[in-house]
Amino acid sequence: MKPIKITDRNIMFTAPRPFRGMDFDLNLGLILGEQHNFVIDTGLGSASVAPIISYIRDNGKPTVVINTHSHWDHIWGNVAFKNSTIIAHPLLRRYVNKDWDSDISKFADYIAGDVEKCLPNMTFEGILHFPDDHVTIFHSPGHTADCISVFDASEKILYAGDNIGDTPDSPVPYIETDIPTFERMIEIYKKYPFETCISGHNTPQSRDILEKMSRGLEESWRKQIAEHGMPV
């Protein structure tokens, strides 16, 4: 994982193209808050988050882990934070319990370091504020029903998980919800005055990513149905 400093307190840790045959990266986020370190997603196992743990080891602040959604490439490194607060939407626990064994079997070649099921120990619905850190976490269903996003008001950075598509040419991700839900997610994002958006796989994007997603939504949805059928 390569650290890329986005702002003074926002660092993106990137594994370039870790998935065979795929042309996108894997990004984890770190916000160095006033009171807490916020780790956004944990990647493919303990080895994915080892550079983050090393980066924050000596700053003396407790760590809060945020799982943006339940997909395996965002949660397998939770095992490295057993003694930390791990936050997610309540649906994530259900999805992980349902998919854990099949995902471990199907994607075993991508395991990086230690992996074991480590579910969030704090869930919320709606909005969760950390006012001393100027950080807001909020439910933002789109890519999946359990998606949550993180806004750093101090430096106007939005962490969108996989609600942003994987590459600059594909601003709309695979949608497991539906078009109205995804459109509502875009409207929710518009309420936050972010200047830079960090996502799970894409390069950092400016605020105009919202307009790009709106324009590409219908086309991407039709293509998804043609290739995969309706999400279930």
Side-chain angles (χ1 to χ4, degrees):
M1 282 282 179
K2 176 184 177 182
I4 301 171
K5 192 171 184 179
I6 306 297
T7 65
D8 283 344
R9 71 179 210 157
N10 286 267
I11 299 94
M12 182 176 74
F13 289 77
T14 297
R17 299 192 177 186
F19 308 110
R20 291 185 300 277
M22 302 294 181
D23 61 349
F24 52 82
D25 303 333
L26 174 62
N27 304 318
L28 310 181
L30 172 64
I31 304 173
L32 301 172
E34 297 295 326
Q35 302 296 324
H36 301 87
N37 302 306
F38 296 88
V39 175
I40 297 114
D41 288 330
T42 60
L44 305 174
S46 61
S48 287
V49 293
I52 300 178
I53 293 172
S54 178
Y55 196 95
I56 63 179
R57 177 169 289 122
D58 297 326
N59 73 12
K61 291 178 286 190
T63 295
V64 173
V65 175
I66 302 163
N67 291 153
T68 62
H69 64 294
S70 64
H71 287 170
W72 54 278
D73 54 322
H74 296 261
I75 64 163
W76 277 358
N78 282 7
V79 63
F81 298 99
K82 286 182 175 180
N83 297 320
S84 297
T85 299
I86 304 176
I87 298 174
H89 188 269
L91 285 172
L92 180 142
R93 294 176 62 94
R94 184 196 309 174
Y95 296 161
V96 172
N97 280 326
K98 176 175 68 72
D99 297 333
W100 181 265
D101 290 339
S102 61
D103 284 348
I104 285 290
S105 176
K106 185 175 180 180
F107 303 111
D109 289 347
Y110 295 116
I111 291 174
D114 296 328
V115 169
E116 64 180 76
K117 188 191 295 186
C118 185
L119 295 171
N121 49 38
M122 179 178 179
T123 61
F124 77 100
E125 298 184 66
I127 300 176
L128 183 63
H129 295 288
F130 287 80
D132 292 343
D133 295 297
H134 308 287
V135 166
T136 299
I137 310 171
F138 58 98
H139 187 208
S140 53
H143 170 60
T144 61
D146 66 322
C147 280
I148 62 175
S149 301
V150 185
F151 178 58
D152 176 6
S154 177
E155 294 187 334
K156 298 183 178 179
I157 305 293
L158 175 69
Y159 292 84
D162 282 2
N163 275 339
I164 306 296
D166 294 336
T167 66
D169 294 333
S170 301
V172 179
Y174 184 86
I175 300 171
E176 294 186 6
T177 56
D178 51 49
I179 282 184
T181 298
F182 200 87
E183 289 175 330
R184 286 193 293 272
M185 181 271 294
I186 294 174
E187 293 304 310
I188 290 171
Y189 280 173
K190 288 180 179 178
K191 297 177 182 180
Y192 291 87
F194 71 92
E195 295 177 354
T196 302
C197 179
I198 297 173
S199 63
H201 302 290
N202 211 326
T203 57
Q205 299 290 314
S206 62
R207 189 173 182 83
D208 65 4
I209 189 65
L210 300 182
E211 180 60 31
K212 293 177 182 177
M213 286 195 294
S214 293
R215 291 198 305 266
L217 184 55
E218 290 287 349
E219 179 181 352
S220 295
W221 184 254
R222 287 194 297 270
K223 181 179 179 182
Q224 177 175 317
I225 292 174
E227 292 179 350
H228 306 287
M230 290 294 291
V232 294

